[in-house]
Amino acid sequence: MLDFTQGSSLATIKTVLFTTVLLGTAQLLAGCDSQPANSNENDNDNATAQTDNIDKNTAEKDNVSINSSSISPATISPANADKAQNNEVEKLSNDKTVNPSGYQKLSFGQIITPELLNELGLTKEKTDNEQCYYVSNPALSYVDKEYGKRASVLYQIIDNKVALIAIQDPNIPFYTDIHVGDSVTEVMKAHNNELTYEVDKYAVDGDYYSLIANVNFEVLKEPQLGELLKAENIKLNNEEDKLPIQIEYHIKGGQKLNDYRINSTEWTADNRSLLKGEVESIDIGLPDAIYLVEGCS
């Protein structure tokens, strides 16, 4: 009996232990199987939350970027963008280079008042002629070998409007890349030989003469000697151009040609080969001012 009881007890103990081990192993396996699933769900939840946050932040940044501009990008057309850029380029160009729009703070046709002259620091020459006079910037000057200290640029005012800009200083840039002191050959080349030749009325030997270029218009009928260009005889090349503009290169060191005046369409190779001299000064402005022989006197 003793042996049987001990054996039975031992078998029972082994059965209990085996059952316990099986149950523990099953729970452990169940725990391992369930853990990755929970972990993946948590990871997915976190990833979704992070994505939502990123999308939200991106949207907020986009909104800030758009709202920070005073003009909606949708309202900026290519034409408006080009126009704005051209205006900015023109403004910068006016500040540094004399051109068909004007120079620095003044443009052709602009109304001039004493207040504006004072604001820009421009001084008026001493004259009794209130209809036609010159102004200049005292800070913009140079020393000429022959005349001493002179104004680099002169603005001619006719009937209270800017009519002409005269360049006297070789260092003042001009939009055609011609400077005071350049040769007549360079001037002709810059304008493809399309310049009108006129001898100064005091230069009997042709040593002083002018080469004149029409910038933004064509002449329908050439004026007679001593006449001004009439508005009805001018055709502007561009509808945006409000005023006709001309350039006059004053040349010194020339020689007498057979003709007192040669139109831009009448040049011959022989006449061009006879041209001599260099630029003494450059005028750009309205034809009425260009054709004034005596300036304002």
Side-chain angles (χ1 to χ4, degrees), residues 173-237:
F174 191 51
Y175 85 104
T176 63
D177 287 333
I178 298 297
H179 295 76
V180 171
D182 285 349
S183 69
V184 66
T185 302
E186 293 175 285
V187 175
M188 292 293 284
K189 182 179 179 181
H191 291 273
N192 297 317
N193 297 325
E194 297 177 357
L195 293 161
T196 296
Y197 168 91
E198 287 188 359
V199 177
D200 188 287
K201 74 173 187 176
Y202 297 113
V204 180
D205 295 327
D207 48 348
Y208 284 93
Y209 63 93
S210 296
L211 291 174
I212 302 173
N214 301 329
V215 176
N216 59 348
F217 70 95
E218 59 179 305
V219 178
L220 302 178
K221 181 181 178 181
E222 292 287 347
Q224 297 296 317
L225 185 63
E227 288 185 345
L228 297 177
L229 279 174
K230 297 180 180 180
E232 59 267 25
N233 294 332
I234 293 176
K235 179 183 178 183
L236 293 172
N237 295 335

Side-chain angles (χ1 to χ4, degrees), residues 235-254:
K235 179 183 178 183
L236 293 172
N237 295 335
N238 194 323
E239 294 181 356
E240 294 182 359
D241 293 323
K242 304 300 182 183
L243 298 169
I245 299 295
Q246 282 186 312
I247 303 171
E248 182 174 20
Y249 299 96
H250 297 278
I251 311 295
K252 64 178 181 180

Side-chain angles (χ1 to χ4, degrees), residues 8-112:
S8 176
S9 299
L10 181 60
T12 301
I13 292 173
K14 288 181 178 180
T15 301
V16 172
L17 289 175
F18 179 75
T19 302
T20 302
V21 170
L22 288 177
L23 291 175
T25 301
Q27 291 177 354
L28 179 62
L29 291 175
C32 291
D33 291 338
S34 62
Q35 182 63 31
N38 293 336
S39 177
N40 288 338
E41 291 175 0
N42 291 337
D43 289 344
N44 290 336
D45 292 341
N46 292 336
T48 301
Q50 291 176 358
T51 302
D52 292 340
N53 288 336
I54 292 174
D55 292 340
K56 182 179 179 181
N57 291 338
T58 302
E60 290 177 352
K61 289 180 180 179
D62 290 342
N63 289 334
V64 171
S65 177
I66 294 174
N67 294 333
S68 64
S69 175
S70 59
I71 301 176
S72 172
T75 65
I76 302 177
S77 67
N80 290 336
D82 291 342
K83 185 176 181 180
Q85 184 177 9
N86 290 336
N87 290 340
E88 188 65 22
V89 170
E90 181 177 299
K91 179 180 178 182
L92 293 175
S93 179
N94 287 353
D95 287 342
K96 299 181 180 179
T97 305
V98 179
N99 65 80
S101 296
Y103 184 55
Q104 294 186 335
K105 303 290 185 179
L106 296 178
S107 57
F108 295 111
Q110 181 176 355
I111 297 176
I112 298 300

